[in-house]
Amino acid sequence: MVREFKLPDVGEGLTEAEIVSWLVEVGDAVSEDQPVAEVETDKAVVEVPAPVNGTVREILAEEGEMVPVGEVIITFDVEGEPVEPADEGESEPADPGDADPAASEASGPAASTDGESDGEVSAKGGRVFAAPSARRLARELGVDIETVPGSGPGGRVTEGDVRAAAESGGEPAGTETADEEPEPAVRSATRKVTDEAESEADAKPAPADAHPGGAPEAAGRDRTLAAPATRQVAQEEGIDINDVPTDEIRDGEPFVDAEQVRSYAEAQRVAQEADAAAVRQESAAVDATAETPPDTETTAEGEVERRPYRGIRRTIGKAMENSKYTAPHVTHHDTVVVEDLVDTRARLKPKAEERGIKLTYMPFVVKAIVAALKEHPILNSQLNEDEEEILVKRYHNIGIAVATDAGLMVPVVKDADGKGMLTIASEVNELAAKARDRSISREEMQGGTFSITNFGAIGGEYATPIINYPETGILGLGELKQRPVVEDGEVVAKWTLPISLSIDHRVIDGADAAQFANTLMEYLSNPELLLLE
């Protein structure tokens, strides 16, 4: 049975999402909850899990394509259910009980009872084993991909096959003539066998080590005897116990033990990894010779390059626009001398490293902000415009902006007031790493009450940070370095840290911002005060 899978709402009120990458290909076996695709949503890339145990039948969305929520993006052949024929014109299969053994052997050991091998495709139609990039190229070149023989692993149709078919004027390269021996049908990547093994196959499936060049054939029995522990192993390995080859017979029925299950599962994994490696190598070779040129245009003023404004970049833009045009921003600037902070961090850094934690200045800033927010809680608030009330929050979730290749993301350290310095340091490092490799979840970027952005890590002293709406305040940190400071009438070099505090002026007055900044600077200039918090 074919199961359609529609793009779910992986965010809050999401209407569309971009398919970042497919983690499976046509013909791959999948288990329920196994990630099959990466989808870009609001400030994060999330994995979409398979809803069933089965085999990927068709991928219906391209990588980089914007897909509306509710649209079918992939279909599966469900395990244990008959595969629906792709071509309605095909004749009904004969009763397997009446099948001629010789004919069954000639069709290959993996042939299914509905006349179509699992994962197979013929040059006359049926399911096509091809990557989305090859399908896209076929559409661009006007090639019917169902007529293109595949030369890739497991009979996969590659971009090279599509180009060859296009260059031959629509007659796919390698198409057999009337007096040529037709090529065998394409086999599933996980069930391919050598030509020699096919010719020697008999009614009894060969043991797992009989096919050193590829994955062993699936037995495809209707009934198998096995101990409950063995069946548990098969379930853990994601293997149909009726597919495990065996020569042992008990009470007139095939018998399988746990070791045979593990051996078969390992052979399947090795074959799949080999196929995947070959595909990656082939794709890399194609990409090296046929990289997609940038979308450029020559205007009256000169050449311009067009880049899509979507995904995370568009989400960030809309959030910034909403914040800037909703909350009237006012920014308070100041500079704090942090000689003691620099010395304290230098003394504690080796101790933190002994515990496997990288100690930056950020945990000190987080703790100082929490201490200042407790004294000036109006900055830890939100304006509820619908109810016309200000929500002053008594918990402290501090968002920390992280620059990534996809744009600015803001992971949140939850309940920062109840955590120690090293715990905050560890969380900040972990969240920043997850944001940069796009593995961070939506939950880890939600619920902030106040945010920090450290533009000084790149350079610069002051800025006007945009509030992470609906919060009402954000602190920008400039570059920490030695600057000239007047002390007792003398100009001396001191470690200083510029700060830029943006506030929502509907909720926070300028005096509140200045008082908060003064308290914050007191904690940063005397970090020992944090021990009292």
Side-chain angles (χ1 to χ4, degrees):
M1 181 180 72
V2 177
R3 178 73 64 86
E4 293 183 340
F5 181 61
K6 300 176 181 179
L7 177 65
D9 180 356
V10 293
E12 296 179 354
L14 186 73
T15 58
E16 63 178 2
E18 178 180 350
I19 304 296
V20 176
S21 64
W22 285 103
L23 307 179
V24 295
E25 295 182 347
V26 174
D28 285 354
V30 298
S31 57
E32 186 175 358
D33 294 331
Q34 173 186 334
V36 296
E38 290 182 328
V39 176
E40 185 173 295
T41 179
D42 186 9
K43 290 194 176 183
V45 173
V46 298
E47 292 180 338
V48 176
V52 294
N53 296 323
T55 303
V56 178
R57 181 182 181 90
E58 190 173 8
I59 293 175
L60 302 173
E62 306 286 351
E63 292 182 356
E65 181 178 346
M66 295 298 295
V67 180
V69 169
E71 182 171 304
V72 178
I73 59 173
I74 188 171
T75 61
F76 302 93
D77 289 329
V78 179
E79 285 185 355
E81 299 288 344
V83 178
E84 293 182 358
D87 187 349
E88 295 180 358
E90 292 179 356
S91 59
E92 288 295 321
D95 186 336
D98 298 333
D100 180 69
S104 175
E105 182 176 342
S107 65
S112 63
T113 58
D114 63 0
E116 185 182 32
S117 176
D118 184 18
E120 286 187 4
V121 60
S122 71
K124 307 297 182 183
R127 287 184 292 151
V128 178
F129 194 22
S133 58
R135 296 175 183 273
R136 181 170 56 250
L137 181 62
R139 289 197 297 268
E140 293 173 354
L141 299 179
V143 173
D144 183 357
I145 200 167
E146 293 186 354
T147 66
V148 180
S151 63
R156 184 179 289 105
V157 176
T158 68
E159 293 183 32
D161 297 330
V162 174
R163 289 192 180 90
E167 292 171 359
S168 65
E171 185 71 16
T175 301
E176 60 270 10
T177 60
D179 55 345
E180 286 180 333
E181 181 69 15
E183 288 293 320
V186 177
R187 289 177 285 276
S188 168
T190 59
R191 299 186 179 184
K192 61 179 182 178
V193 294
T194 61
D195 293 338
E196 292 81 1
E198 281 189 0
S199 63
E200 297 172 0
D202 54 25
K204 182 187 297 183
D209 58 358
H211 301 281
E217 278 302 324
R221 296 181 297 271
D222 294 328
R223 177 178 169 82
T224 301
L225 298 182
T230 300
R231 296 186 183 277
Q232 178 64 28
V233 171
Q235 183 176 358
E236 293 172 353
E237 295 284 358
I239 294 296
D240 185 346
I241 202 166
N242 292 320
D243 286 342
V244 179
T246 183
D247 291 328
E248 188 171 351
I249 303 295
R250 293 190 184 181
D251 297 330
E253 298 284 355
F255 179 84
V256 171
D257 60 31
E259 187 57 37
Q260 289 173 310
V261 172
R262 293 190 183 95
S263 176
Y264 178 74
E266 179 61 25
Q268 295 294 319
R269 282 193 290 268
V270 169
Q272 289 177 331
E273 290 170 1
D275 284 338
V279 171
R280 287 194 296 269
Q281 183 177 3
E282 179 182 7
S283 298
V286 172
D287 292 342
T289 57
E291 293 185 357
T292 303
D295 184 7
T296 60
E297 177 184 353
T298 301
T299 66
E301 292 79 16
E303 187 176 74
V304 296
E305 178 183 343
R306 297 182 181 273
R307 297 182 180 180
Y309 180 58
R310 64 189 185 198
I312 289 179
R313 172 53 58 193
R314 185 179 63 174
T315 299
I316 294 173
K318 288 185 175 181
M320 294 295 181
E321 178 184 355
N322 182 43
S323 177
K324 192 65 176 177
Y325 289 103
T326 301
H329 283 52
V330 170
T331 304
H332 175 91
H333 303 286
D334 216 324
T335 300
V336 55
V337 177
V338 290
E339 288 280 304
D340 289 347
L341 175 61
V342 172
D343 291 341
T344 301
R345 186 249 184 179
R347 291 196 307 271
L348 296 179
K349 184 178 178 183
K351 297 293 184 181
E353 289 177 348
E354 290 176 4
R355 304 186 188 185
I357 299 173
K358 179 182 178 182
L359 182 62
T360 66
Y361 290 103
M362 188 58 70
F364 293 93
V365 176
V366 171
K367 293 295 287 185
I369 285 176
V370 170
L373 288 175
K374 288 181 177 179
E375 295 188 34
H376 308 279
I378 191 62
L379 278 87
N380 198 53
S381 61
Q382 174 184 339
L383 176 61
N384 188 332
E385 298 176 68
D386 293 336
E387 300 295 332
E388 295 187 338
E389 60 185 10
I390 298 172
L391 304 178
V392 179
K393 301 178 180 180
R394 299 186 181 275
Y395 57 93
H396 302 86
N397 297 342
I398 309 301
I400 301 175
V402 177
T404 74
D405 292 340
L408 205 64
M409 298 187 184
V410 188
V412 176
V413 177
K414 305 290 178 63
D415 300 318
D417 54 326
K419 295 176 178 176
M421 193 78 70
L422 292 185
T423 300
I424 292 175
S426 180
E427 283 195 25
V428 168
N429 296 336
E430 180 182 355
L431 289 170
K434 292 171 73 173
R436 292 189 180 101
D437 66 21
R438 309 280 291 279
S439 63
I440 194 165
S441 67
R442 288 179 57 86
E443 290 74 17
E444 291 171 314
M445 294 192 294
Q446 294 176 330
T449 61
F450 188 95
S451 294
I452 309 169
T453 178
N454 183 19
F455 52 81
I458 301 173
E461 296 188 9
Y462 302 102
T464 304
I466 296 180
I467 298 167
N468 190 19
Y469 188 80
E471 297 169 17
T472 56
I474 182 171
L475 180 72
L477 303 177
E479 183 180 9
L480 189 156
K481 69 176 183 179
Q482 287 187 319
R483 294 180 175 86
V485 174
V486 177
E487 189 174 84
D488 298 329
E490 299 287 334
V491 177
V492 295
K494 293 281 188 178
W495 288 99
T496 62
L497 178 66
I499 62 171
S500 300
L501 174 66
S502 289
I503 58 169
D504 183 342
H505 212 350
R506 297 174 302 173
V507 178
I508 303 167
D509 294 330
D512 294 325
Q515 291 168 1
F516 171 86
N518 290 339
T519 303
L520 174 67
M521 291 192 294
E522 184 179 5
Y523 281 108
L524 291 177
S525 61
N526 301 287
E528 290 183 353
L529 293 175
L530 295 173
L531 297 175
L532 301 177
E533 295 299 315

